[in-house]
């Protein structure tokens, strides 16, 4: 990576060309293929916990062992699932999205997305 004080600023056109590139489209597809299903799954899991806590109090207060009941276990499961999803995302990103984003960043820093300049085209 180029040190910040040695970088040449990118133009809005370079960002637009990078955004319109097939690599960026693939990067978005790969990110969304993980993020959307995981978000939906977690929200369903969270809503189920809230609904059970509200409407199935007898079920949630069922003791599993000692003073530990199903509600406590499902509540702790919320934390466990959050850490699990985070770990899965880190693994997914390092394998599926980081290589593309690293390559795109390298190309952006090298100004490879810059449109060729045509001296006959007037600037505005």
């Amino acid at each position: 990576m180029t040190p910040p004080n040695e970088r040449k600023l990118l133009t809005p056109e370079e960002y637009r060309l990078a955004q319109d590139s097939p690599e960026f489209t693939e990067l978005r597809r790969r990110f969304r293929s993980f993020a959307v299903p995981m978000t939906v799954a977690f929200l369903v899991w969270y809503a189920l916990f809230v609904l059970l806590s509200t409407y199935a109090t007898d079920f949630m207060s069922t003791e599993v062992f000692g003073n530990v009941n199903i509600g406590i276990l499902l509540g702790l499961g919320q934390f466990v699932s959050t850490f699990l999803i985070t770990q899965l995302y880190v693994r997914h990103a390092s394998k599926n999205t980081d290589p593309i984003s690293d390559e795109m960043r390298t190309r952006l820093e090298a100004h490879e997305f810059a449109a060729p300049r045509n001296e006959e085209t007037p600037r505005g």
Side-chain angles (χ1 to χ4, degrees):
M1 190 182 312
T2 309
N5 56 349
E6 296 178 17
R7 290 184 195 155
K8 179 182 159 196
L9 294 178
L10 295 165
T11 64
E13 291 80 21
E14 288 176 290
Y15 283 113
R16 174 62 67 191
L17 289 170
Q19 183 180 355
D20 293 339
S21 71
E23 295 95 342
F24 190 73
T25 302
E26 179 63 16
L27 184 64
R28 278 193 320 237
R29 186 194 68 76
R30 289 182 183 193
F31 173 76
R32 289 177 182 163
S33 72
F34 179 87
V36 171
M38 254 331 134
T39 301
V40 169
F42 184 78
L43 289 176
V44 167
W45 160 231
Y46 180 73
L48 177 66
F49 174 71
V50 170
L51 291 172
L52 287 173
S53 298
T54 304
Y55 298 108
T57 54
D58 290 339
F59 171 72
M60 294 294 271
S61 63
T62 303
E63 290 186 0
V64 178
F65 56 89
N67 289 332
V68 177
N69 59 31
I70 292 176
I72 293 290
L73 293 177
L74 291 179
L76 292 173
Q78 293 289 315
F79 291 102
V80 172
S81 64
T82 301
F83 292 121
L84 177 65
I85 289 170
T86 302
Q87 186 63 34
L88 290 172
Y89 175 72
V90 168
R91 187 179 310 157
H92 170 79
S94 66
K95 180 180 172 187
N96 297 306
T97 60
D98 287 352
I100 295 173
S101 63
D102 291 343
E103 191 265 332
M104 285 191 72
R105 181 180 55 244
T106 301
R107 288 181 60 200
L108 275 167
E109 288 177 350
H111 297 276
E112 291 181 20
F113 286 102
R117 290 192 175 189
N118 185 349
E119 294 304 323
E120 298 174 17
T121 305
R123 293 184 183 191

